[in-house]
Amino acid sequence: MNQSSNDVSAGDNGDDITVVHLMRHGEVHNPEGVLYGRRPGYHLSELGRKMADRVAEHLADRDVTHVVASPLERAQETATPIAAAHGLDLATDERLIEAANVFEGKTFGVGDGALKKPGNWKYLTNPFRPSWGEPYLEQVVRMMAALGAARDAARGHEAVAVSHQLPIWIVRSFAERRRLWHDPRKRQCTLASLTSFTFHGDKIISVGYSEPARDLVPSHLLAGAKPVKGKSKAYGA
């Protein structure tokens, strides 16, 4: 697991160590290559379910006392086997939801799709906010709040919170004091990966990253992979 220390977050009010694993959901069944975003009705593929089961096995011996997920089906389905493995009820937190995006419902491939249409170019004017979707700072605020809630629910133990690629990457970037605007192709947040925040009291003291289901992830979907025409990279993530 790669780790980097930081001292972001609220003050330390205890000696307890708590770990919150922000997990990205598994692969989604999406043969049309639609950017599904917050749209309902997108479920895990068979491979995605295998990814979820793999992570549940990976975490089976960990001290997990709280499991929570975004309300979207793909996140709920990813979290279900993890909660079951620990005999826990699955909680839902709206703050873990995918980032809003004006391109929802459109195809967004390499060399085709929404970006070729001049009518959509007006949404691409400001990559720093960004102009095509939920502002990065708003994502930081809600994700930090969700992290804090999961930490409090599992105080002194471990929690798993299933969310989506962009919100996970943005809150990690904030915690590690990196700029929030970035090249989406370079996000280190593969399907079914764990971005793990360790808290000392209320203070984040380290951030780690691991990929328990890496061998199940198609090569073109791994972090840093070059986009391949005709294959989705992270539609809705």
Side-chain angles (χ1 to χ4, degrees):
M1 178 181 291
N2 299 322
Q3 291 191 330
S4 55
S5 296
N6 59 81
D7 57 5
V8 176
S9 194
D12 181 0
N13 63 4
D15 293 329
D16 54 300
I17 297 296
T18 308
V19 179
V20 179
H21 304 282
L22 270 184
M23 180 182 176
R24 185 182 170 195
H25 61 78
E27 185 190 62
V28 174
H29 179 68
N30 181 22
E32 295 81 17
V34 172
L35 186 101
Y36 37 80
R38 293 181 174 181
R39 291 187 164 213
Y42 286 89
H43 299 267
L44 292 183
S45 64
E46 182 179 351
L47 179 59
R49 294 182 183 279
K50 291 179 180 178
M51 292 177 182
D53 289 340
R54 170 69 63 79
V55 179
E57 293 171 5
H58 174 76
L59 295 172
D61 294 330
R62 301 296 289 264
D63 185 23
V64 175
T65 61
H66 180 65
V67 181
V68 61
S70 155
L72 296 173
E73 293 99 332
R74 58 192 184 272
Q76 294 276 315
E77 292 166 0
T78 299
T80 294
I82 299 171
H86 292 275
L88 300 170
D89 292 330
L90 175 59
T92 300
D93 190 332
E94 295 278 349
R95 294 169 295 194
L96 294 170
I97 200 167
E98 173 65 291
N101 192 307
V102 298
F103 294 110
E104 284 182 17
K106 299 178 172 65
T107 57
F108 207 82
V110 178
D112 60 5
L115 289 184
K116 291 192 69 175
K117 298 179 181 178
N120 291 327
W121 295 350
K122 62 185 177 182
Y123 298 118
L124 306 174
T125 57
N126 185 356
F128 306 106
R129 185 178 185 268
S131 52
W132 55 82
E134 182 183 11
Y136 292 139
L137 285 176
E138 291 183 12
Q139 294 180 55
V140 167
V141 170
R142 66 175 172 86
M143 290 297 289
M144 286 297 292
L147 269 177
R151 174 202 63 215
D152 291 345
R155 183 75 69 170
H157 304 278
E158 299 185 32
V160 178
V162 181
S163 186
H164 307 267
Q165 186 190 57
L166 179 55
I168 294 172
W169 181 249
I170 289 300
V171 76
R172 176 182 173 182
S173 296
F174 174 78
E176 294 182 329
R177 299 185 175 182
R178 293 194 304 273
R179 66 175 185 241
L180 301 183
W181 60 274
H182 60 282
D183 182 343
R185 297 169 297 181
K186 296 181 180 180
R187 295 173 190 158
Q188 189 183 42
C189 192
T190 297
L191 290 166
S193 61
L194 299 173
T195 301
S196 303
F197 295 76
T198 299
F199 290 84
H200 180 204
D202 288 351
K203 181 179 180 180
I204 296 173
I205 59 172
S206 69
V207 181
Y209 176 78
S210 61
E211 298 175 351
R214 182 180 176 86
D215 62 304
L216 298 177
V217 179
S219 60
H220 71 282
L221 296 178
L222 292 170
K226 293 182 179 180
V228 177
K229 187 173 182 177
K231 292 186 178 182
S232 64
K233 174 64 177 172
Y235 298 117

